[in-house]
Amino acid sequence: MMDEFFNFKETNGFRVKLWRGEYMCLLGFDVDAPEDDFVGFAVEYKEPKGTKFLNLRNRIAFDYGEPAKKAVTGGGKFPTTEAPLQMFRWVHFPYEPQDGIYTYRITKMHMPEDGKLVRGTVIELPIRYDAVTYDGFLDIGFTRNFASSQAFEDKKKRLHLTNDIIPANADDGLAFASSKAEIAKTGIYDWLGFEAHRLLFGFLDWAVKDPTIEVDALAYDLNEPDFLAQLEKLGSRLRVIIDDSGEVDKKTGKVKRGHGAPSSGETAAAARLAISAGADRVKRGHFRGLQHNKVLIAKRNGVPVRVLGGSMNFSFRGFYIQANNLFIFDDETVAGLFEQMFMLAFTDMANFHKDPFSKVWHSVKREGRPAVHICFSPHKSSELSLQPVGGAIDQATSSVFYSFAFMNQTKSGPVREALDRLIKKPLFSYGVVDKKGGMEIQKPSGENGLVDFAYLAKNAPEPFKSEWSGGSGINIHHKFAVVDFDKPTAKVFTGSSNFSPSGEIGNGDHLVIIEDQRVATAFAIEALRMFDHLNFRNRMQVEIATQPKKITLKKPKAISGEANAWFDKFYVAGSQRERDRLTFSRQS
């Protein structure tokens, strides 16, 4: 029977489990005893209104013909019925996802003779895609983070675009409005911003069109012209706090570089909003460190009814380049807590950390809804907000997934120390943290790897094309951890917080705990999607440096003459790859 967010079936020692994410699906496979001629999985899917199965496609194949550059073009992806997936899981990210039932057909593929593929055991399973996570309470969304990808290279070619889709300098963002308007006609911004983009502008459109709605906003980066234009349309129905942090000139005492500088996009945005909303409704500030919240609070007749928050800055990079998440709560109590935070910051930001409101976790529990807990910083002790996160990671019994921007700058504290302990445990975990020169990942071998986004801009093995590095700045901006996603006790920790002691003591931020397996599953799938995206780049960098060659699928040992089958590494007892295979394919 299909659950709301997963489905499972087993046939003849072959197991498949589907996990629903946010407009994406994780497929987990397992085989008890792989045959010698087993070469992978073919995946076909039928869309909600479709009448026939479509092929999931692979970018690599057994052979390409010669020369490979002619045989493999931007559109030359190979049907998995001809080029099976040699992985025990896959994240299907539909090009244009739809609401409704998707049906997946997964087939074991065999190669008894060189070049001859034979279908084996087949499993068919449905799962529902829904636009809203919890109707009437909570919706979450992610950006696509595809600017550095083969998919983006394909799309650029079709749309006749260059990499100049964002301004080279963030402070030039508002002046980029006319260029953006022309580029937007291609649909590239909607595509890159994905569901987070849709939720954000849907929130603003709704607020602008309803004259009974007022909005209180907090912004860190603020240089995206369409976002600013929507805030301007609110007129005097808007109040906003915009960060003014930056490098201070020792002689003049003024900010010379950063958000508070006269030339910054944030300063320009504040000036425009002072005209549209009124100067007394626009505040600049940075708590004791940064005003790091990215929040919109909607009020109807003075009563908070809806709130948007998360990791996504209101900027070109935040919307269209980086991996980010946001949430919308349609709940008066949750929105009311964010409104209390806003009012304290709007009236006396310097003393926010002294107020009792900042010294406790705030819990919201609704029957039939996920339990939600929220902590607002800055506060005097970082242990208040970070100890529950570190404790949950330490107490995990099944799995931990995480993505922390700027964790490389954190050398201590409950979360950093728990992550260091986690790596040494026989527990399934994948993580991504940024590091100077790129992103650091924990590889399937258990080792760490460094991903350089610029590397594939210069080096790409056949059949892959060189990629855009995404411009100046980090590519992964998420801040979240998922604990035991496959259990009823699953938890997600998310928000704008960087999970660092210094940030919790100095910055205006929010940290949210959501106790819910459906939400945890969505974040876990997002973590896997990013990990695979980055792990491939790390693998390419290593393999290109050591043995430049074309990348192909592996044939059976009897045909290839190689000592190991492609699947052997997934059956090494106690290995990370074995845990990977089992975690996503077991029934419970």
Side-chain angles (χ1 to χ4, degrees), residues 271-291:
R272 284 173 52 174
L273 292 175
I275 296 171
S276 61
D280 62 334
R281 303 180 72 80
V282 180
K283 300 286 186 183
R284 302 297 301 275
H286 54 269
F287 291 86
R288 293 196 286 178
L290 308 173
Q291 190 312 100

Side-chain angles (χ1 to χ4, degrees), residues 549-570:
K549 62 178 182 179
K550 289 188 300 184
I551 297 175
T552 61
L553 295 175
K554 295 187 72 171
K555 297 180 180 181
K557 291 188 293 183
I559 298 172
S560 67
E562 296 184 15
N564 297 310
W566 70 269
F567 51 77
D568 285 345
K569 59 190 176 186
F570 294 95

Side-chain angles (χ1 to χ4, degrees), residues 349-403:
M349 189 179 294
N351 290 306
F352 183 94
H353 64 286
K354 297 178 182 178
D355 194 278
F357 183 79
S358 73
K359 300 176 182 179
V360 296
W361 279 90
H362 306 270
S363 296
V364 179
K365 296 183 179 180
R366 298 268 186 269
E367 186 175 352
R369 299 300 192 194
V372 178
H373 315 277
I374 311 167
C375 195
F376 298 98
S377 63
H379 25 246
K380 288 185 177 180
S381 172
S382 63
E383 295 284 318
L384 168 69
S385 47
L386 298 184
Q387 188 57 54
V389 188
I393 292 172
D394 279 337
Q395 294 166 22
T397 60
S398 163
S399 61
V400 177
F401 300 94
Y402 58 88
S403 179

Side-chain angles (χ1 to χ4, degrees), residues 385-506:
S385 47
L386 298 184
Q387 188 57 54
V389 188
I393 292 172
D394 279 337
Q395 294 166 22
T397 60
S398 163
S399 61
V400 177
F401 300 94
Y402 58 88
S403 179
F404 295 127
F406 307 111
M407 184 56 72
N408 68 302
Q409 300 172 14
T410 302
K411 307 302 180 184
S412 62
V415 177
R416 173 75 270 174
E417 292 160 10
L419 292 178
D420 291 341
R421 289 189 290 269
L422 174 67
I423 293 175
K424 301 173 184 177
K425 294 180 180 179
L427 194 72
F428 184 78
S429 65
Y430 278 146
V432 177
V433 299
D434 68 329
K435 190 172 183 178
K436 186 177 181 180
M439 300 295 301
E440 186 176 76
I441 58 171
Q442 181 189 343
K443 296 192 288 186
S445 62
E447 301 171 344
N448 284 351
L450 183 65
V451 180
D452 180 357
F453 278 93
Y455 193 83
L456 285 187
K458 299 178 181 178
N459 306 274
E462 296 172 355
F464 298 97
K465 299 191 295 296
S466 295
E467 298 178 351
W468 182 37
S469 65
S472 177
I474 69 171
N475 290 49
I476 308 296
H477 194 254
H478 278 308
K479 304 101 166 29
F480 71 79
V482 185
V483 175
D484 292 341
F485 90 99
D486 55 344
K487 294 184 176 295
T489 55
K491 293 182 179 68
V492 174
F493 301 84
T494 188
S496 66
S497 169
N498 285 329
F499 292 80
S500 69
S502 61
E504 293 302 290
I505 293 171

Side-chain angles (χ1 to χ4, degrees), residues 57-112:
R57 293 176 175 264
N58 200 344
R59 287 188 178 270
I60 58 176
F62 292 105
D63 297 295
Y64 304 117
E66 294 294 340
K69 289 184 178 179
K70 290 185 178 179
V72 184
T73 65
K77 304 174 192 175
F78 304 95
T80 53
T81 49
E82 301 172 11
L85 303 176
Q86 293 188 336
M87 293 277 291
F88 282 84
R89 61 169 166 77
W90 198 263
V91 175
H92 179 214
F93 199 161
Y95 194 76
E96 298 292 347
Q98 308 169 33
D99 285 358
I101 300 291
Y102 276 73
T103 303
Y104 289 89
R105 183 166 66 198
I106 302 93
T107 306
K108 283 178 62 185
M109 301 299 293
H110 302 267
M111 184 180 282

